[in-house]
Amino acid sequence: MRPDVAAEVPVARSNSIQIRDLPWPAAWIGETGILQDHNEAMRSVIGHLARGHDFATAILDENASAFWLALRRIAMGGPSATLEIRTKASPTKTYIAALARPHLGPLPRLPAILLQLTEITSLRESIDLLAERESRWNHALVCSVSGVWDQRSTGELYYSDVWRAIRGLKPEDPIPPNTDEWLELVHPQDRERVLHCIERQNAGDPDYMTFEYRERHKDGHYIWIECRGACVERNESGQPARIVGTDTDVTARKDQEEWLEGLSRRLKLALDLSRIGIFETDFSTGTSDWDDGMRRIFEFSGDADIKVGDFWESKLHPDDRERTLTYVAARIKELRPFTDEYRIIAKDGSTRFIRSNSLPYLDQDGALKMIGVNWDVTEDHRLREELERQKALAEARNAELEKTRIDAEYSAMHDHLTGLPNRRFLEARLDSWRKDGDTPRQGIAVLHIDLDRFKQINDTLGHGAGDAMLKHAARVLLDNIGPEGFAARIGGDEFVLLVDYDGSEKNLSLLADRIIGTMRHPVWHKGHECRFGASIGIAYSTDVLADPRQLLQNADIALYNAKNHGRSRHEFYTQSSRTILADARRLSSELLRALEQDEIVPYYQLQYDARTRQIVGAECLARWQHPQHGILGPDRFLPMAEECGVLAQIDRIMLDKSLADLETWRQQGLNLPKISVNVSARRLTDPDLAQGLGSLNIRPGTVSFEILESVFLDRQDATVMTNLETLRELSIDIEIDDFGTGHASIVGLLNLKPSTLKIDRQLVEHLPTSQEQRVLVMSIIQIARSLKIKVTAEGVETEEHARILKRLGCDVLQGFGLSRPLDFAATTALLAKHKKTAAVD
């Protein structure tokens, strides 16, 4: 007995409803399920469950949850409940359990609940059997993919889900209410026949119990339906009262039948076109049935049967007759299919070649027969003879083909431009080096070489110049590695060298420096002086089990570091190199994310009139508002942006944002005459630049584009010149940035016609102490004045710088000594301050 419900046991009072004399199983149950009292009939059902125990322990576990739920609802004041249960003492019997709290009129509410059981085992078995039969028939109908329909003269209609699915109807879709509307769905060619079939089916005609017709599917196409039906009830006057049947979608079968009919037609056409003859021989009757093809091949006229041992045998070539007849007789005796080829003599005396496939067999009556096909292969023999002649010719050409093969293999393994091995050859050489691991040898070193500034030569002077530089670079490499080395061009301006490694890094450094030094020498192409360099990454190993492909990857990482550290140098691979590359790749991913998150923002460095110190403009500078590292300068991300190909995108962002900021300042009454933005070389070569700029609202004279002098002002690229002309038409000024450190010439300045030259900060830095630099800067200013070009000096750090530049005739000053780069808010405040100061003056 559970201690928490022990108090419920004595509740069954003597003056309560008596259950001991009831003929059916009955018991008093506490609200928590404790058995308080029960009669003998209940004892036979639940066994020896004593008072004070949980009644649910006497029933099967699968019924316990439902029992507890019903008991709990009544305990909470709910209505009486009934449910099916089985007991552990009588698990094969099924009972209806009725739970209720008896109503005793004015007496106090009973704390106990009355439970009565009624056995329904036979009823349950009958219900289950009926459900199983119904399920069996339903499953059979569903598996047969037949839809059931039931029509009564009273207007009651039943259509199964499968019947609807055949027609593409959902359970809620309406059914045509009458025959006329339904006939609209029947194919026009079938309507009259369908009405006749229905009439005969209703009349009980067995020939019409099944018929086929086409009906329009809900999707609009027609399907074939096989309708099976019969009248199962008739009224007193003999008229159909109930008609039941099934509909089956036989569209696939009808399509198959149509396909077979088409196949039969095609086979007949194929036989006619192939000119094959078919025969069937009956040896018991001594006759052979030939079709028109056989008669045509053997030139037999008339409709008479062919006698065995007569006509066919007479047509055989004398030299083939004995062999052919002996061969055929042996195969017939063995009852084995066989193929043969023989000659016959045509009516005109010519020889014809015949090929045959034959199958001897015994029919169901044991009679020996043979079927087969024959066809004229005379033309095949002629072609065979021609092929023999061609074979001799092919053999004569074999040597030439072999040479062509060797040339093709060479082309597949070598670069067509430089003649060096290509990447495929390099990978084969690396695999060969690894497979020879048991052979005594020195270590191996991999030098990965990338040409610096090659792309600029290719873009400015054309692919012809680029090809010439690649050939020159290949010669330099071959001259420096000697006959024992291996050089390959693996793509673009990238080369790889494989050399023996004797354990000395110094020798590898000397080789790399020698190559870099030679690559720096100017190369002339069609009157143009071309200069480029080389960056080299080096990886080596003395381990005979080293993976050469990994060495190639390590050399690539070292090359990345060489380029990242300033180019025109070499770097050895170290373990830390991989970390640097990983950081660079992470920075690249972060930069792409920064563009998506709009983290690239403009900073403005104000520019001042050298004489009046009035604000005359500002240079827009890109900054990265990094979520973890704060504001990052251009040196941290612009090289990566160029490598990722998004530098032009950053240029566009800076232009759009600076135009918006310029318009905001104008609306606030703050005067900033001009904004200068940087433009990359890649963007200048964009053929869509003009269209993009034309869509912007750029006020004439308020924007200038800063172009690096290293863009090569002397080139005459058509797209660049067109874009520059467009800038002039849009009243966008052109400024040459970092002038004095690049390769611009006076001719280049005349071609470009810039509005401003910006003297590089390197030339300004030592003005107070260097007479040579003052003379150089003065010369630049005088040249600019003669060409009517303004001059802006960058890097103005001190008042001494400003004073000297003013005296030399410089127009505009820019530098930290005057104003540092500021964000939009700080720039706005500074412009407002200058406006207020100007108003006071």
Side-chain angles (χ1 to χ4, degrees), residues 132 226 243 266 278 332 475 486 535 545 566 586 734 761 768 789 829:
E132 183 179 357
E226 181 182 74
I243 304 170
R266 290 193 295 273
I278 302 176
I332 292 175
R475 288 193 297 270
F486 177 89
S535 299
L545 299 179
R586 183 175 64 254
I734 301 168
R761 65 183 69 251
I789 298 173

Side-chain angles (χ1 to χ4, degrees), residues 664-769:
T664 300
W665 289 324
R666 188 188 66 80
Q667 293 176 1
Q668 294 176 357
L670 302 178
N671 180 33
L672 184 63
K674 179 183 291 188
I675 288 287
S676 61
V677 295
N678 291 292
V679 179
S680 63
R682 182 182 297 272
R683 197 171 187 205
L684 277 180
T685 59
D686 183 2
D688 297 326
L689 176 63
Q691 181 179 356
L693 294 176
S695 63
L696 300 176
N697 184 21
I698 300 177
R699 296 176 179 272
T702 60
V703 175
S704 64
F705 279 7
E706 291 193 12
I707 304 171
L708 289 176
E709 183 188 4
S710 57
V711 171
F712 283 90
L713 302 178
D714 294 337
R715 66 181 175 179
Q716 298 295 323
D717 183 274
T719 302
V720 172
M721 299 308 293
T722 299
N723 284 334
L724 292 176
E725 185 60 34
T726 300
L727 297 181
R728 296 189 185 92
E729 292 174 358
L730 294 173
S731 296
I732 297 175
D733 290 339
I734 301 168
E735 299 184 9
I736 304 303
D737 198 11
D738 295 344
F739 189 81
T741 62
H743 307 279
S745 67
I746 302 301
V747 175
L749 290 176
L750 290 173
N751 290 333
L752 186 59
K753 301 176 183 177
S755 62
T756 303
L757 294 181
K758 297 190 73 174
I759 300 177
D760 188 79
R761 65 183 69 251
Q762 296 181 44
L763 301 180
V764 174
E765 181 180 2
H766 299 293
L767 280 180
T769 59

Side-chain angles (χ1 to χ4, degrees), residues 238-253:
Q239 297 298 318
R242 184 182 182 188
I243 304 170
V244 179
T246 62
D247 283 359
T248 305
D249 186 348
V250 294
T251 306
R253 189 187 75 196

Side-chain angles (χ1 to χ4, degrees), residues 597-608:
Q597 300 296 325
D598 196 27
E599 294 175 2
I600 307 301
V601 297
Y603 267 52
Y604 300 97
Q605 187 172 31
L606 296 178
Q607 299 169 334
Y608 298 84

Side-chain angles (χ1 to χ4, degrees), residues 383-393:
L383 290 175
R384 187 184 305 168
E385 293 174 355
E386 177 64 19
L387 287 174
E388 290 293 336
R389 189 182 69 83
Q390 293 294 334
K391 178 183 177 182
L393 182 61

Side-chain angles (χ1 to χ4, degrees), residues 522-681:
V523 181
W524 289 89
H525 175 74
K526 295 184 178 179
H528 294 276
E529 183 184 32
C530 302
R531 290 181 178 271
F532 63 93
S535 299
I536 302 178
I538 307 173
Y540 59 83
S541 176
T542 56
D543 185 359
V544 295
L545 299 179
D547 183 356
R549 290 178 182 264
Q550 185 62 52
L551 287 178
L552 181 61
Q553 182 180 352
N554 293 345
D556 182 51
I557 294 173
L559 172 63
Y560 175 85
N561 290 330
K563 293 166 63 177
N564 198 44
H565 291 156
R567 302 177 183 268
S568 290
R569 57 184 292 133
H570 72 270
E571 291 285 344
F572 284 93
Y573 169 79
T574 61
Q575 190 59 40
S576 62
S577 303
R578 189 174 295 274
T579 303
I580 295 173
L581 179 60
D583 292 342
R585 288 175 177 169
R586 183 175 64 254
L587 179 64
S588 174
S589 299
E590 290 182 354
L591 178 58
L592 296 178
R593 178 195 56 77
L595 291 173
E596 295 175 356
Q597 300 296 325
D598 196 27
E599 294 175 2
I600 307 301
V601 297
Y603 267 52
Y604 300 97
Q605 187 172 31
L606 296 178
Q607 299 169 334
Y608 298 84
D609 186 287
R611 291 173 294 280
T612 66
R613 298 294 178 91
Q614 294 296 313
I615 296 175
V616 294
E619 180 180 0
C620 177
L621 303 168
R623 295 291 186 269
W624 182 354
Q625 198 167 16
H626 197 284
Q628 283 83 37
H629 305 303
I631 298 297
L632 301 182
D635 58 315
R636 293 286 301 276
F637 65 91
L638 287 187
M640 181 60 67
E642 183 174 9
E643 188 172 327
C644 296
V646 296
L647 189 56
Q649 183 179 351
I650 293 177
D651 288 348
R652 287 194 297 271
I653 292 173
M654 291 300 98
L655 176 60
D656 292 342
K657 290 188 174 183
S658 62
L659 287 175
D661 291 346
L662 192 63
E663 180 61 22
T664 300
W665 289 324
R666 188 188 66 80
Q667 293 176 1
Q668 294 176 357
L670 302 178
N671 180 33
L672 184 63
K674 179 183 291 188
I675 288 287
S676 61
V677 295
N678 291 292
V679 179
S680 63

